[in-house]
């Protein structure tokens, strides 16, 4: 055997210092992947054929109105409604969630009643109510109950259709988000607030600096879900009535032209486009609040993608030989 | 090292703790002087951790009282005319706690902050230290526990021993009068225990007043000024390590030592 020359390493042999040859493997057969690919490709072709050849879609009308001024303005108002009502909803929800966790029974009760009422009434009904707010409450008076009036103002100037829509959507959303945020706050390990307490931090600081940042990791995915839901719920604001949003704009054009289908497509394409943008935003939020929790998404402070084990190894605090007891 | 003339830092007087039907502590007395290291040992469920947590008010004693540097913890110094004791507000209790460092068995580092962020958090948020000053101090403390080069790592990127050393630096950042350690090495892989114990020994040599709950009898023998043996919620034996560990009087302690040594 000693006369046999050492075999030359194959092409792509391991570099010096690595004394192993990777397994040259052939993938196991997966016929299912190929069969499903063929079926899906055929179905996709059929769909494309249907979309192109069916005259009811009137693609030229879609193209004409996709960037129509009224439609683009509608997109803007829809976005504004979504952002403002989610903002209001989140603030209200955080307040309600913190109140629910409070030691103070009055605050707990108020929060419970808010969630009960605003989650229990259809959002459409709530929007109609807010639209009629100036009729129900024409004047807000600051003063002593049954006593003298100190200051008053008319609600008509303050609660416009836009603000009625934002308040209606926001307060309804807040009731749902409150439960999401509450479960997020509860998901943070009790040891975290104990450690913060032991350092002398007060309850407010513990909540703001320790609990909420960690809860956000759990809250953001459903919050993104709710935002996308809100985007579509804004199409209900005609109940107020608020008449500038995307759905109202495309409906208006469709009614004028007697061609509902192409304008439904215009609206659908815009909603999908906004959803895609929101999904990108959600991705970055998840990455930001997931920092420190997942080795695969290193935080902004660190450039590299080292894993925990790499950090442990490089620290050289563990013995080189993992099995010292069998060392001879 | 402390002497009998050193001022008393911790005085636990006849502390009882009841959880529902469970009498966890049944009248514990403990005195720890400045610069002294007290090591609490005993079987699990004997009340060691509860006693430790009573010292920094993570648990409220059902009876008895805890004094830190002669100040009653959790209550106003003097009783009300009707004999009741006025409880302190949350903010006052937080201020009392901020002078006592605590290290937990499971580290409880803040996972969303880097090692540096963890150490800086309390000085900035509680003491109102400017960020730059807090960072300088935090880096010095991380250096002291041998982790200067890990400052920008998140806890999930550190080994258990490293996390525990960051937790010690985090507690030290508040310049505590005393430090409490609740089984600081029990959650660690065996080969990581020594690096944490080395930091504890270094602290003890520096004159830090410490109460350590641990099962590391070697550490107790080497570092402790007094060893306290607890069983079923009461302190059975206490004294110098050579007295308690090497000449146990009670059968309970003899049995316990036989099982851990």
């Amino acid at each position: 055997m000693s006369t046999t020359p050492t075999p030359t390493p194959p092409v792509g042999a391991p570099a010096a210092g690595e004394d192993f040859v990777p397994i040259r493997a052939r993938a196991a057969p997966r016929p299912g992947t190929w069969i499903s690919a063929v079926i899906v490709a055929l179905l996709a072709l059929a769909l494309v054929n249907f979309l192109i050849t069916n005259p009811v879609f009137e693609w030229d009308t879609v193209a004409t109105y996709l960037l129509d001024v009224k439609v683009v303005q509608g997109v803007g108002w829809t976005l504004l409604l979504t952002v403002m009502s989610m903002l209001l909803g989140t603030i209200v929800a955080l307040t309600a969630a913190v109140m629910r966790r409070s030691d103070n029974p009055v605050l707990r009760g108020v929060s419970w009643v808010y969630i009960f009422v605003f989650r229990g009434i259809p959002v459409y009904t709530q929007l109609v109510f807010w639209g009629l707010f100036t009729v129900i409450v024409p004047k807000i008076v600051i003063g002593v109950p049954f006593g003298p009036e100190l200051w008053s103002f008319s609600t008509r100037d303050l609660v416009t259709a836009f603000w009625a829509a934002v308040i209606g959507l926001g307060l309804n959303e807040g009731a749902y988000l409150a439960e999401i945020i509450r479960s997020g706050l509860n998901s943070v390990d009790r040891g975290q607030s104990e450690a913060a307490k032991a350092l002398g931090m007060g309850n407010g600081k513990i909540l703001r600096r320790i609990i909420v940042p960690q809860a956000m990791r759990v809250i953001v995915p459903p919050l993104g879900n709710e935002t996308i839901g809100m985007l579509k719920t804004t199409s209900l604001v005609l109940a107020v009535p608020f008449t500038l949003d995307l759905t109202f704009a495309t409906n208006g054009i469709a009614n004028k032209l007697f061609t509902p289908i192409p304008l439904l497509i215009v609206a659908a394409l815009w909603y999908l486009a906004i959803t895609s943008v929101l999904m990108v935003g959600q991705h970055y939020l998840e990455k930001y609040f997931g920092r420190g929790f997942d080795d695969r998404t290193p935080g902004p402070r660190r450039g590299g993608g080292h894993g925990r084990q790499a950090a442990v190894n490089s620290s050289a605090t563990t013995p080189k030989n993992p099995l010292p007891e069998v060392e001879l | 090292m402390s002497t009998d003339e050193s001022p008393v830092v911790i005085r636990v007087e006849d502390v009882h703790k009841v959880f529902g039907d469970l009498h966890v502590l049944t009248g514990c007395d403990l005195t720890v002087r400045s610069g002294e290291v007290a090591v609490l040992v005993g079987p699990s469920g004997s009340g060691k951790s509860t006693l430790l947590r009573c010292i920094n008010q993570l648990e409220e004693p059902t009876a008895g009282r805890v004094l830190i540097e002669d100040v009653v913890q959790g209550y106003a110094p003097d009783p009300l005319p009707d004999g009741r004791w006025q409880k302190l507000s949350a903010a006052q209790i937080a201020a009392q706690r901020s002078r006592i460092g605590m290290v937990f068995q499971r580290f409880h580092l803040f996972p969303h902050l880097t090692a540096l962020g963890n150490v800086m958090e309390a000085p900035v948020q509680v003491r109102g230290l400017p960020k730059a000053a807090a960072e300088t101090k935090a880096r010095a403390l991380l250096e002291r526990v041998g982790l200067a080069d890990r400052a920008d790592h998140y806890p999930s990127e550190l080994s258990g021993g490293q996390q525990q050393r960051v937790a010690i630096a985090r507690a030290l950042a508040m310049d505590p009068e005393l430090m409490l350690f609740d089984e600081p090495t029990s959650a660690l892989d065996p080969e990581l225990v020594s690096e944490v114990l080395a930091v504890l020994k270094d602290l003890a040599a520096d004159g830090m007043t410490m109460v350590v709950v641990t099962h590391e009898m070697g550490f107790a023998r080497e570092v402790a000024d007094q060893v306290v043996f607890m069983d079923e919620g009461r302190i059975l034996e206490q004294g110098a390590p050579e007295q308690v560990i090497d000449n146990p009087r009670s059968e309970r302690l003899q049995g316990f030592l036989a099982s851990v040594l």
Side-chain angles (χ1 to χ4, degrees):
Chain A
M1 288 302 276
S2 59
T3 55
T4 314
T6 42
T8 48
V11 184
E18 291 179 28
D19 51 357
F20 66 91
V21 179
I23 296 169
R24 295 176 59 235
R26 183 180 157 196
R30 288 185 182 174
T33 310
W34 292 103
I35 294 168
S36 57
V38 169
I39 294 172
V40 169
L42 286 173
L43 287 173
L45 277 175
L47 182 67
V48 169
N49 178 47
F50 166 74
L51 287 174
I52 292 174
T53 56
N54 193 329
V56 300
F57 291 118
E58 294 181 41
W59 289 103
D60 52 329
T61 316
V62 172
T64 311
Y65 286 96
L66 194 60
L67 295 174
D68 183 88
V69 179
K70 275 207 159 154
V71 172
V72 174
Q73 281 175 345
V75 170
W77 280 110
T78 292
L79 263 178
L80 193 65
L81 276 173
T82 308
V83 170
M84 297 299 283
S85 45
M86 282 309 288
L87 218 61
L88 174 66
T90 309
I91 293 166
V92 171
L94 191 61
T95 314
V98 171
M99 281 162 70
R100 257 325 260 288
R101 288 160 52 91
S102 160
D103 296 331
N104 182 333
V106 178
L107 296 183
R108 277 206 306 274
V110 170
S111 173
W112 187 90
V113 169
Y114 161 69
I115 293 172
F116 174 75
V117 170
F118 282 83
R119 203 173 54 173
I121 299 173
V123 64
Y124 192 90
T125 312
Q126 287 183 50
L127 284 170
V128 176
F129 261 118
W130 284 105
L132 293 170
F133 185 72
T134 52
V135 177
I136 302 167
V137 185
K139 205 164 76 160
I140 289 181
V141 177
I142 311 285
V144 182
F146 307 106
E149 187 176 302
L150 300 177
W151 184 63
S152 75
F153 62 91
S154 158
T155 56
R156 195 173 293 278
D157 318 321
L158 210 67
V159 187
T160 59
F162 175 73
W163 287 111
V166 167
I167 293 169
L169 291 171
L171 289 183
N172 176 69
E173 186 59 35
Y176 285 94
L177 283 180
E179 292 295 285
I180 289 173
I181 290 177
R182 191 168 67 98
S183 63
L185 297 178
N186 287 343
S187 76
V188 178
D189 179 31
R190 237 171 52 90
Q192 289 292 309
S193 52
E194 225 164 51
K197 260 193 208 170
L199 286 166
M201 292 174 79
N203 286 334
K205 283 242 164 73
I206 294 175
L207 190 71
R208 211 174 65 239
R209 298 281 312 171
I210 306 299
I211 308 294
V212 169
Q214 294 182 55
M216 284 306 281
R217 192 174 61 98
V218 180
I219 292 169
V220 166
L223 190 69
N225 224 16
E226 289 291 313
T227 308
I228 289 167
M230 175 61 82
L231 172 70
K232 294 171 294 178
T233 310
T234 56
S235 61
L236 295 180
V237 291
L238 78 142
V240 170
F242 179 80
T243 56
L244 294 169
D245 76 297
L246 179 58
T247 294
F248 202 94
T250 52
N251 277 350
I253 297 169
N255 291 342
K256 211 161 62 190
L257 299 177
F258 300 111
T259 52
I261 293 166
L263 280 135
L264 283 177
I265 291 174
V266 168
L269 288 175
W270 272 112
Y271 280 117
L272 277 176
I274 301 172
T275 303
S276 316
V277 173
L278 292 177
M279 281 166 70
V280 173
Q282 181 180 354
H283 170 76
Y284 282 104
L285 273 181
E286 276 180 33
K287 210 166 144 181
Y288 177 75
F289 285 109
R291 71 195 189 281
F293 284 92
D294 190 345
D295 288 349
R296 284 167 301 168
T297 56
R301 272 169 177 259
R302 301 209 28 237
H306 309 268
R308 175 175 182 270
Q309 192 55 49
V312 171
N313 291 346
S314 67
S315 71
T317 52
T318 47
K320 284 270 181 296
N321 183 350
L323 297 168
E325 62 266 39
V326 294
E327 202 167 31
L328 295 172
Chain B
M1 277 293 153
S2 75
T3 62
D4 283 351
E5 288 84 51
S6 300
V8 171
V9 177
I10 307 170
R11 196 187 292 282
V12 174
E13 293 178 349
D14 194 27
V15 162
H16 291 249
K17 179 67 190 177
V18 180
F19 290 114
D21 300 334
L22 209 63
H23 214 138
V24 182
L25 294 179
T26 53
C28 292
D29 293 275
L30 179 69
T31 302
V32 182
R33 292 175 179 278
S34 176
E36 200 178 14
V37 178
V39 171
L40 303 187
V41 298
S44 61
S46 58
K48 311 181 295 281
S49 290
T50 307
L51 179 60
L52 196 71
R53 292 161 61 85
C54 282
I55 295 175
N56 73 342
Q57 305 184 59
L58 287 182
E59 303 292 353
E60 208 177 301
T62 313
R65 55 184 199 156
V66 175
L67 294 96
I68 303 292
E69 291 180 332
D70 293 325
V71 177
V72 185
Q73 300 292 291
Y75 299 90
D78 299 306
L80 295 166
D82 64 359
R84 290 184 305 163
W85 291 84
Q86 176 62 54
K87 274 193 183 183
L88 296 184
S89 71
Q92 289 168 315
I93 289 174
Q96 289 187 333
R97 280 199 192 108
S98 71
R99 302 172 58 228
I100 305 173
M102 181 153 189
V103 172
F104 298 86
Q105 180 179 356
R106 303 210 55 86
F107 330 136
H108 296 325
L109 287 181
F110 306 133
H112 59 301
L113 301 175
T114 60
L116 186 69
N118 267 277
V119 182
M120 285 170 62
E121 183 68 12
V124 172
Q125 295 298 326
V126 179
R127 293 261 192 271
L129 207 63
K131 280 222 167 104
E135 180 172 339
T136 310
K137 185 176 189 183
R139 287 195 186 276
L141 284 167
L142 286 172
E143 171 98 57
R144 178 171 180 186
V145 297
L147 291 171
D149 57 334
R150 305 282 125 176
D152 293 331
H153 287 242
Y154 285 96
S156 63
E157 298 161 342
L158 300 173
S159 72
Q162 292 172 335
Q163 289 187 54
Q164 194 60 297
R165 285 187 283 154
V166 173
I168 294 170
R170 176 175 71 176
L172 289 174
M174 291 297 281
D175 301 316
E177 314 284 324
L178 64 143
M179 291 275 285
L180 309 174
F181 294 86
D182 190 1
E183 304 206 24
T185 59
S186 297
L188 297 176
D189 290 339
E191 79 269 22
L192 302 179
V193 168
S194 60
E195 66 185 58
V196 171
L197 290 183
V199 174
L200 262 68
K201 285 175 195 168
D202 175 54
L203 277 176
D206 250 23
M208 176 62 77
T209 310
M210 295 160 58
V211 182
V212 186
V213 172
T214 188
H215 294 293
E216 298 286 336
M217 300 309 287
F219 172 82
R221 197 196 300 269
E222 191 181 337
V223 181
D225 295 295
Q226 62 167 317
V227 175
V228 179
F229 174 65
M230 289 186 69
D231 191 43
E232 292 181 342
R234 56 169 55 90
I235 293 170
L236 277 194
E237 290 191 36
Q238 66 190 111
E242 48 274 17
Q243 174 194 334
V244 175
I245 300 176
D246 299 328
N247 300 300
R249 286 172 318 209
S250 64
E251 247 174 65
R252 281 287 203 177
L253 180 50
Q254 287 162 8
F256 173 73
L257 289 171
S259 69
V260 294
L261 285 178

